[in-house]
Amino acid sequence: MEMENPQTWAKAVAAAKVQGFEKAWVNVTQARLESAFAKLLTYGVDATPSLAIGGRYVINPDSVMGDSGMFIQLANGMVSKVIQNR
């Protein structure tokens, strides 16, 4: 299947049983896609999930050796840091 074919992605999403995809996809425009892609490049996102915090920091579970609990703690700490410095 070709990556450029929308049916490829529709089938992948259906196979993964992603809930609410069709409803969200209806609101996607070329401008929104371009904006999202620009943000990925700007923030240097290279893993999923990733969080961009305050437009300055990007973290992902690799930042804490995959520990999901520690990831949430790190996110809380980073958000608090950004809020305090505003």
Side-chain angles (χ1 to χ4, degrees):
M1 297 176 76
E2 296 177 7
M3 288 184 55
E4 296 80 14
N5 184 339
Q7 289 302 313
T8 299
W9 297 102
K11 289 179 182 180
V13 167
K17 299 180 181 170
V18 176
Q19 296 179 0
F21 177 82
E22 291 83 10
K23 185 177 177 182
W25 189 250
V26 171
N27 296 316
V28 173
T29 64
Q30 186 69 28
R32 285 183 175 176
L33 286 174
E34 289 173 5
S35 174
F37 188 68
K39 289 176 184 175
L40 283 174
L41 294 176
T42 298
Y43 292 131
V45 172
D46 61 2
T48 303
S50 288
L51 293 175
I53 301 168
R56 297 191 315 202
Y57 306 102
V58 176
I59 62 171
N60 64 58
D62 293 342
S63 305
V64 291
M65 309 277 278
D67 184 324
S68 60
M70 188 64 72
F71 179 60
I72 298 301
Q73 287 182 356
L74 176 61
N76 273 331
M78 298 301 292
V79 168
S80 295
K81 178 179 179 176
V82 168
I83 290 171
Q84 287 176 348
N85 291 330
R86 286 196 177 196

